[in-house]
Every structure is written in structure tokens, then in C-alpha cells.
Amino acid sequence: MQRGFGPRRSPRAIVVSVDNLGEASELERGGWAAKAELGRHPSVTVALPSLLGELEALGLVATFFVEALNCELYPEEVREIAARGHELGVHGFSHERWAKLSARRERELLVRAGEAFRSLGLEPQAFRPPGGEATERTAGLLREFGYRWWSPLGEEVSRGDGLGLIPFGWELVDAYHLMDRFGELRARRGDRREPLGPRELTERLLFAMERGAGVQTLILHPFLMLDPGWREGARRVLALIAELGSAGRSWTVPGGELAAWLASEGR
């Protein structure tokens, strides 16, 4: 069997993914001011255009996992992501704690999310559970609703009996390193409880991408790029990923394309 990934049989594959848009997560967690105006969140009005421009300049295509609520609050911006050639995936309806959902609620949210995207003429076929953890029903429901692949927390890439599995690990998630609320998780995993600064995270991710192997799933969050230090750090990480692809050292590809290729290869 031939080794490597993609048409050039690159030694590894990199999936650039983007999670969260707008105020969906804050609304779900109760952190949004009651009288604050909806539909003007700077992660969408400021960070997203900058990120889309950077990806275009570098020739990178990403997978955007978007809460379906954004189809109501930011319909033009969601359409713009797809129009730019990026892949869209569902990230819950409003960033629910997915692993805690009842069977009825989980089904309701997937139905509602699908309707929200279809109202914009879009049909996402990818899913990432908010928080990374799913229920024992999630994979079956995704197959039922016609999803092609998903990206929970995990380690092993697989076809998953018709449902591609491209998981992620915390070490390549910017929020895991930068946010205070991940302190307990970091401590449990043996990392420093205190968050990293943008410069420290930049160097860590540059090292991880430079030395990586197999399939690497990077997760970036636009709201964190409102910090100028991390905006520049993310730019450097994306630039390195583009360089690795140009040099034939990686195949940088949206998750759906990778999942389809893995299925065609029988992996």
C-alpha cells in the first residue's frame, strides 16, 4: 500500500479549522449582557474578515464549524465563508454542552441546525460537538441526517462505517492554551494551569506544526484573534502551514476532502 496523504503522497495531512462565531457561546453560557445588541459581535465584524483575508492570501482552505444561530444573526457572513471556498460545519445550534444533551434535545438541535443552514441555501456535511465530547447517540444521528464526517475530541482517524472521523487534540487548540477557564483541564493533562501568552503559544504551535506527523487538526477561534498579539501569532502559524504545503511536506486540506480521500483509500 502506498504511504502518505493526498495526490502528492505528502508525509502528513493538516486540517485548518475554525470554531465559534459571534455571541452564540456567550448567550448559551449566560455571559451576554441582557441589553446588548445582537448581530454586531467583533469576532464577526472585525476578526472574521481579517482571518478570511489571511487565508486567501496564503492560499489556504479551512473548515469553519459554526453555531447554527449565526445563520439567523449573520446570514451574509456565513454565506461569505462558503463563497470564499471554505467548508462549513455545524457546531451545535448555540454552542450547547453537547455531551450533556438528552436524546430528544440532541435530535431537535440537529434538525433545527440543518433547517437554519438550508434557509441560506447551504448544506453542511460536517459536525464538531461543542466542547469536543459527544453522546453515545451522536454518530448514529449524524449518519441518519446525512453528515459525511465529524470531528470530536480523539486520536484515531477513520472512515467510521460511512461517517468519516477526523478528530482533534487539545494541544492544537488555541483556546485551550490561552483561556483561563481551561486551567483545570490543563492541570489534569499535566500542562501548566496558568494560560500561555500569545508569544508562548505561537512558538509552541510553530514547533508542533514543524515537527508534526500523521493527521494534525488545528483549531483557531476568531474571538481570540481580537488580541493583536494572538492575531499576529495565528498569522505566523498559518504562514508556516502554507509553507509546509508548498514544500510538499504536508497536504493542507479541508476535513471533508480528507475524509473522502481516506474513504477512497480504504483507511
Side-chain angles (χ1 to χ4, degrees):
M1 178 184 294
Q2 288 183 304
R3 297 184 180 277
F5 296 91
R8 297 168 65 183
R9 297 293 169 177
S10 300
R12 61 175 157 150
I14 298 175
V15 175
V16 176
S17 63
V18 180
D19 280 10
N20 302 113
L21 273 184
E23 52 270 59
S25 177
E26 293 164 271
L27 287 167
E28 181 66 25
R29 297 174 188 274
W32 188 256
K35 295 184 179 180
E37 184 178 2
L38 297 176
R40 299 180 62 84
H41 199 280
S43 69
V44 180
T45 61
V46 177
L48 179 62
S50 176
L51 176 58
L52 289 173
E54 192 66 39
L55 291 169
E56 183 174 3
L58 293 170
L60 296 175
V61 180
T63 302
F64 282 74
F65 288 98
V66 175
E67 299 91 346
L69 177 63
N70 290 290
C71 296
E72 301 175 5
L73 296 179
Y74 303 100
E76 295 308 314
E77 289 82 357
V78 173
R79 286 194 184 100
E80 177 69 10
I81 292 170
R84 295 260 194 144
H86 300 290
E87 180 180 29
L88 278 169
V90 175
H91 200 43
F93 190 85
S94 59
H95 209 276
E96 297 79 8
R97 295 181 64 187
W98 204 263
K100 302 294 185 181
L101 295 176
S102 68
R104 179 178 179 179
R105 184 62 173 157
E106 184 173 21
R107 176 177 289 274
E108 287 176 348
L109 288 171
L110 285 174
V111 169
R112 190 179 177 192
E115 291 172 347
F117 279 96
R118 284 191 293 274
S119 73
L120 302 183
L122 302 169
E123 191 74 48
Q125 297 182 334
F127 178 80
R128 175 174 286 152
E133 297 180 351
T135 75
E136 69 279 3
R137 303 173 300 271
T138 304
L141 286 170
L142 295 177
R143 291 188 183 92
E144 178 183 339
F145 289 121
Y147 285 79
R148 298 293 182 85
W149 72 282
W150 69 315
S151 182
L153 181 67
E155 298 179 358
E156 295 297 325
V157 173
S158 74
R159 288 184 295 169
D161 296 326
L163 181 68
L165 176 64
I166 312 293
F168 73 90
W170 288 119
E171 63 277 2
L172 295 182
V173 180
D174 59 356
Y176 167 79
H177 297 285
L178 291 172
M179 296 184 70
D180 287 327
R181 70 181 182 87
F182 286 95
E184 184 177 341
L185 175 60
R186 287 191 294 266
R188 290 201 309 267
R189 286 172 43 84
D191 289 327
R192 192 177 76 184
R193 181 181 290 271
E194 295 74 20
L196 297 179
R199 183 176 301 178
E200 292 175 291
L201 177 55
T202 300
E203 296 306 317
R204 179 173 292 199
L205 290 182
L206 288 173
F207 181 85
M209 304 313 299
E210 180 70 42
R211 302 294 183 90
V215 175
Q216 293 179 285
T217 303
L218 176 70
I219 301 181
L220 301 175
H221 291 76
F223 73 88
L224 292 174
M225 296 177 192
L226 295 169
D227 178 287
W230 178 233
R231 182 169 62 247
E232 172 60 19
R235 186 199 65 77
R236 290 180 59 194
V237 172
L238 291 171
L240 174 60
I241 291 172
E243 291 173 12
L244 293 171
S246 297
R249 295 175 56 194
S250 72
W251 183 36
T252 303
V253 62
E257 189 173 342
L258 176 58
W261 183 85
L262 291 169
S264 71
E265 294 286 306
R267 299 190 182 188

